[in-house]
Amino acid sequence: MNMESDILYEESQYLGYNRLSFLRRMVLALFCFLSYYWSGDSVDAEGSGSLLFFLGVAIIGVSAILVFILHYRTKVENGSLVLDGLWTARKVKIDLSSIKDVSKVKYSRFFFNRAVYNLHLKGAIHFYTRGKECIQLTDKDGLKYLIGSQKPAELLSVLNEQIKK
């Protein structure tokens, strides 16, 4: 049997799309460019003005590269939810038979949220890169999983379908 047919849902989230990280990098690049401009573009002995310009260009280059760096991938397959991150060797596999409740909730009241993978905070385990809403899974022991998604309605319907089986 083909393994691709067992995957019911798949989503990849990339580091370059996180609002907070992107804003930090752009503010830093803007600071470098403004400092370069205020330095008067004079050719001095240290060349610090040129250094600031190239540092700003490098920051924008790193931001462009981060758009292609995978933060984590979400898969629903074979009765389980699999979260596999690039920066960690730990693959998180949640057995859907142990889940008693699935709902779509707002991830946070904050406009900017940092990207997290397997963060244990206030009785919940967070997985988030971007998006305003997330899927909240509650298992039979009361442990909550908050899984950020760009397509929460689609993930919710697939999870509800799998839990009813």
Side-chain angles (χ1 to χ4, degrees), residues 29 31-36 39 47-57:
F31 173 76
C32 289
F33 290 133
L34 288 175
S35 297
Y36 168 72
S39 71
S48 61
S50 298
L51 179 66
L52 287 168
F53 176 77
F54 290 119
L55 183 61
V57 170

Side-chain angles (χ1 to χ4, degrees), residues 3 11 17 26 32 39 45 61 63 75-76 92 101 117 128:
M3 289 186 66
E11 176 183 8
Y17 292 113
M26 289 306 111
C32 289
S39 71
S63 292
K75 289 183 194 176
V76 177
V92 176
D101 183 45
Y117 180 83
Y128 176 81

Side-chain angles (χ1 to χ4, degrees), residues 60-76:
I60 290 179
V62 167
S63 292
I65 291 170
L66 283 175
V67 170
F68 301 104
I69 303 292
L70 179 70
H71 185 213
Y72 71 89
R73 179 172 287 130
T74 306
K75 289 183 194 176
V76 177

